[in-house]
């Protein structure tokens, strides 16, 4: 009797312990969602070093998974897996998909994988469908920023279940992340591995705190969202319908551009050394120095100062 009483007490205590949020989902068996990714990476919102060619600004395909709290695709301030590294640096999904499949086989933490087509410009939309389950109500995905060293946007473990029901719609603004595997500062930086590997960190208008950083806008408090994702629960009558919202016309992209206008101040180099003093012997001559534009202003940013300067001098080597 004593042993039985102790066992009952232990089991009762264990059942009251807090567990992952997904364990309390009591919604209907399955739910399907349309996930719509909207790129907002425009030259107006992000004028600094905006990639216009070789390649121009664009987005990779989306790779995502629905899962339980036992699985994590990526997490801020933790090390990226080899699969996330390959996807963030090169857009290669093979290793990441293998990691997802292995996690699903070992601990049944994965319900399904989903993907959406790439976007060939910085602004535009792509979409697909995903399915969630009461034991797998979390959604994670990554989309690579192209071009970039190892930058991406995404969501980590968004729970679509609220107790006994699925959310009808949810929208999330997305901001850039650094996978911590490549040390480039700019969109077009050459491949230079980070050794030792760093953790996944959010890129902000002041971090990394370096003028060369393509997202460095010290006058801003926060970056404007570079993308947005919306998930809409499908009704039974909508299941199997073709994907809407794909390939927005240019007019829609112009509307996106007008939402956020980030001023960019002119940046110039340091002054060169003073040139030779020119003039007639025993009279005051002149010498000049120059500097050049590192970054042209945009969106009513501070204009460039004078690029040359002149001062008086005494000619040298006079006889």
């Amino acid at each position: 009797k004593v042993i039985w009483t102790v066992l009952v007490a232990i089991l009762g205590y264990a059942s009251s312990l807090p567990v992952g949020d997904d364990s309390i989902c009591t919604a209907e068996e399955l739910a399907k969602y349309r996930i719509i990714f909207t790129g907002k990476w425009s030259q107006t919102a992000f004028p600094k070093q905006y990639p216009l060619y070789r390649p121009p600004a664009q987005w990779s395909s989306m790779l995502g998974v629905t899962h339980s709290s036992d699985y994590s695709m990526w997490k801020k301030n933790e090390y990226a897996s080899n699969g996330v590294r390959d996807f963030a640096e090169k857009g290669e999904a093979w290793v990441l998909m293998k990691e997802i499949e292995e996690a699903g086989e070992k601990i049944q933490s994965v319900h399904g994988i989903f993907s959406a087509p790439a976007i060939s410009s910085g602004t535009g939309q792509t979409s697909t469908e995903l399915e969630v389950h009461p034991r797998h109500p979390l959604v994670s995905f990554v989309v690579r920023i192209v071009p970039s060293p190892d930058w991406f946007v995404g969501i980590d473990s968004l729970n679509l279940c609220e107790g006994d029901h699925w959310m009808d719609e949810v929208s999330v603004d997305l901001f850039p992340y650094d996978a911590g595997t490549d040390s480039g500062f700019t969109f077009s930086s050459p491949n230079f591995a980070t050794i030792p590997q760093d953790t996944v960190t959010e890129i902000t208008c002041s971090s990394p705190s370096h003028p060369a950083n393509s997202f460095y806008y010290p006058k801003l408090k926060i970056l404007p969202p570079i993308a947005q994702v919306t998930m809409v629960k499908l009704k039974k009558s909508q299941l199997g319908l073709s994907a809407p919202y794909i390939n927005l016309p240019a007019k829609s992209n112009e509307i996106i551009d007008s939402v956020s206008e980030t001023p960019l101040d002119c940046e110039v180099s340091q002054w060169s050394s003073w040139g030779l003093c020119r003039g007639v012997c025993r009279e005051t001559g002149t010498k000049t120095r120059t500097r050049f534009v590192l970054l042209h202003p945009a969106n009513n940013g501070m204009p460039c100062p004078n690029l040359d300067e002149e001062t008086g001098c005494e000619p040298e080597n006079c006889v």
Side-chain angles (χ1 to χ4, degrees):
K1 285 185 177 181
V2 173
I3 295 174
W4 178 252
T5 302
V6 171
L7 285 173
V8 170
I10 292 173
L11 290 173
Y13 173 74
S15 65
S16 67
L17 289 175
V19 290
D21 290 342
D22 52 310
S23 65
I24 61 173
C25 180
T26 57
E28 58 190 84
E29 186 68 12
L30 292 172
K32 283 193 174 183
Y33 283 82
R34 167 70 54 189
I35 180 169
I36 306 148
F37 177 88
T38 304
K40 296 187 174 183
W41 185 17
S42 68
Q43 191 171 10
T44 303
F46 299 92
K48 186 174 182 180
Q49 302 166 0
Y50 188 81
L52 294 173
Y53 57 92
R54 298 182 183 179
Q58 56 190 277
W59 299 95
S60 77
S61 58
M62 172 193 290
L63 181 60
V65 60
T66 56
H67 59 96
S68 69
S69 59
D70 295 322
Y71 171 78
S72 174
M73 175 181 271
W74 65 275
K75 281 190 179 298
K76 181 179 178 181
N77 298 326
E78 294 188 7
Y79 293 105
S81 67
N82 290 336
V84 171
R85 178 199 63 203
D86 285 357
F87 192 87
E89 289 188 10
K90 298 173 284 187
E92 296 177 359
W94 174 251
V95 176
L96 182 54
M97 289 184 68
K98 290 294 290 183
E99 291 174 351
I100 295 171
E101 290 172 2
E102 289 173 1
E105 291 173 358
K106 289 180 180 178
I107 52 178
Q108 288 78 50
S109 58
V110 171
H111 181 71
I113 300 175
F114 59 89
S115 63
I119 303 174
S120 60
S121 62
T123 57
Q125 288 186 328
T126 186
S127 71
T128 189
E129 290 183 6
L130 60 87
E131 185 180 76
V132 285
H133 183 272
R135 293 195 302 274
H136 306 90
L138 308 181
V139 176
S140 297
F141 72 83
V142 287
V143 180
R144 181 177 181 245
I145 298 173
V146 183
S148 74
D150 60 341
W151 302 341
F152 69 95
V153 298
I155 277 181
D156 165 37
S157 303
L158 175 66
N159 195 343
L160 294 179
C161 184
E162 290 185 320
D164 62 352
H165 67 280
W166 298 104
M167 289 190 285
D168 289 327
E169 182 174 338
V170 58
S171 291
V172 180
D173 287 333
L174 303 177
F175 300 89
Y177 280 89
D178 186 324
T181 61
D182 194 291
S183 297
F185 272 121
T186 67
F187 297 120
S188 57
S189 293
N191 184 33
F192 187 71
T194 301
I195 301 175
Q197 180 177 332
D198 203 351
T199 57
V200 175
T201 56
E202 184 176 352
I203 301 172
T204 71
C205 55
S206 58
S207 179
S209 183
H210 193 291
N213 178 17
S214 291
F215 287 110
Y216 185 70
Y217 296 95
K219 290 190 175 181
L220 295 182
K221 291 184 178 179
I222 59 171
L223 286 175
I226 196 170
Q228 184 184 62
V229 67
T230 300
M231 280 166 271
V232 182
K233 186 175 179 289
L234 297 178
K235 298 178 181 178
K236 291 185 179 180
S237 60
Q238 294 176 301
L239 299 181
L241 295 180
S242 59
Y245 307 112
I246 298 179
N247 296 327
L248 286 182
K251 184 176 180 182
S252 296
N253 290 343
E254 291 170 7
I255 293 173
I256 292 174
D257 283 356
S258 67
V259 173
S260 300
E261 187 171 287
T262 303
L264 185 65
D265 295 340
C266 177
E267 293 182 12
V268 295
S269 67
Q270 298 292 323
W271 286 110
S272 68
S273 301
W274 287 104
L276 296 175
C277 185
R278 299 183 181 277
V280 180
C281 287
R282 292 178 293 279
E283 293 184 14
T284 300
T286 59
K287 59 182 179 181
T288 60
R289 62 178 181 175
T290 59
R291 55 188 174 184
F292 57 90
V293 176
L294 295 173
L295 198 63
H296 289 278
N299 305 329
N300 298 313
M302 187 176 297
C304 294
N306 291 333
L307 300 179
D308 53 77
E309 188 175 64
E310 189 177 277
T311 188
C313 60
E314 293 183 5
E316 300 175 358
N317 300 326
C318 284
V319 178

